[in-house]
Amino acid sequence: EVQLVESGGGFVQPGGSLRLSCAASGFTFSAYEMNWLRQTPGEGLEWVSYINSGDATTYYSDSVKGRFTTSRDNAKNSLYLQMNSLRVEDTAVYYCATKVYGTTYFDYWGQGALVTVSS
Amino acid sequence: QSALTQPASVSASPGQSITISCTGTSSDVGSYNRVSWYQQHPGKAPKLLVFDVTNRPSGVSNRFSGSKSGNTASLTISGLQAEDEADYYCSSFTSTRIFYVFGTGTKVTVL
């Protein structure tokens, strides 16, 4: 059974940093492209970042580019999202999700991690 | 990049059919057969229902079906059941730099 479990969410002040982790199991993690997405009541679902399964090429949405960094450790079956210079508008539930190479949809999602940025 | 437009809510009685629309532009829905649909129950993660406009992943009921015409994609739920009460989101690949755009979401209520 595919399982994705996010951790590391919490409360942080504007300008602060937080690191999310996503522990994967039940599938060959190294073979999958991985993504971070986030959801807010006001803005809905938003794609945040992507990392491929091969050379760890990454892409980011304009809203987080330069502030967030996605990485993966295939030996640990883990995905990470380092979030720096956090803003109030980054407040959201963050999901990690799988994507097969060549497809444009997200097969499996984790249960989400809440990040709250507030003073 | 604006979100894809969906009706805020749709309701119907058990056994009836409903259709949720998802309107985009020629940069996303209109140009690619890369529309997917997700179901989300309260407090849960989204679940993939339909991909590439019409395809269902293994295990998804055939009561869920997708289609597309021009810049508008649609999800039809036939034989509505109580467990179908949830939020539904469409998504499309887009030629813009954000790669993926999501719909505004539709709350389905089973009366």
Side-chain angles (χ1 to χ4, degrees):
Chain A
E1 177 192 5
V2 171
Q3 278 203 318
L4 297 167
V5 180
E6 299 94 339
S7 60
F11 184 95
V12 62
Q13 292 187 328
S17 298
L18 214 54
R19 189 195 196 205
L20 299 182
S21 299
C22 171
S25 61
F27 66 103
T28 305
F29 179 74
S30 59
Y32 277 75
E33 302 176 336
M34 296 298 296
N35 294 261
W36 287 100
L37 303 100
R38 64 187 182 184
Q39 185 174 31
T40 62
E43 300 298 320
L45 281 164
E46 177 189 14
W47 170 79
V48 172
S49 71
Y50 154 96
I51 185 167
N52 76 359
S53 56
D55 60 5
T57 295
T58 55
Y59 297 110
Y60 301 91
S61 67
D62 285 347
S63 59
V64 307
K65 193 176 298 182
R67 301 186 298 121
F68 288 14
T69 302
T70 294
S71 61
R72 65 190 296 163
D73 185 337
N74 289 337
K76 294 183 178 180
N77 289 342
S78 292
L79 174 73
Y80 306 100
L81 183 67
Q82 177 66 43
M83 303 183 291
N84 298 330
S85 302
L86 281 162
R87 305 168 180 168
V88 170
E89 54 264 36
D90 294 320
T91 295
V93 175
Y94 285 75
Y95 296 99
C96 60
T98 63
K99 192 180 84 65
V100 174
Y101 173 78
T103 68
T104 57
Y105 51 88
F106 308 102
D107 309 77
Y108 298 99
W109 301 57
Q111 86 289 351
L114 176 62
V115 172
T116 303
V117 185
S118 176
S119 54
Chain B
Q1 175 75 26
S2 299
L4 306 176
T5 301
Q6 298 180 232
S9 63
V10 175
S11 59
S13 299
Q16 292 186 320
S17 294
I18 61 170
T19 296
I20 302 169
S21 61
C22 168
T23 301
T25 70
S26 57
S27 295
D28 39 65
V29 176
S31 288
Y32 304 97
N33 288 324
R34 300 292 197 174
V35 176
S36 51
W37 289 89
Y38 302 87
Q39 176 192 60
Q40 186 178 33
H41 288 105
K44 300 294 186 181
K47 172 190 172 184
L48 179 66
L49 284 182
V50 170
F51 64 92
D52 294 347
V53 179
T54 61
N55 298 290
R56 285 185 306 274
S58 173
V60 172
S61 171
N62 58 10
R63 297 186 300 104
F64 297 93
S65 61
S67 61
K68 191 188 88 165
S69 178
N71 292 341
T72 299
S74 299
L75 175 72
T76 297
I77 308 175
S78 58
L80 201 62
Q81 299 179 1
E83 59 261 36
D84 298 334
E85 188 162 288
D87 293 327
Y88 292 81
Y89 295 90
C90 61
S91 178
S92 175
F93 181 76
T94 170
S95 59
T96 67
R97 294 188 305 186
I98 65 170
F99 297 113
Y100 305 98
V101 61
F102 283 87
T104 50
T106 299
K107 181 176 181 59
V108 169
T109 302
V110 181
L111 301 172

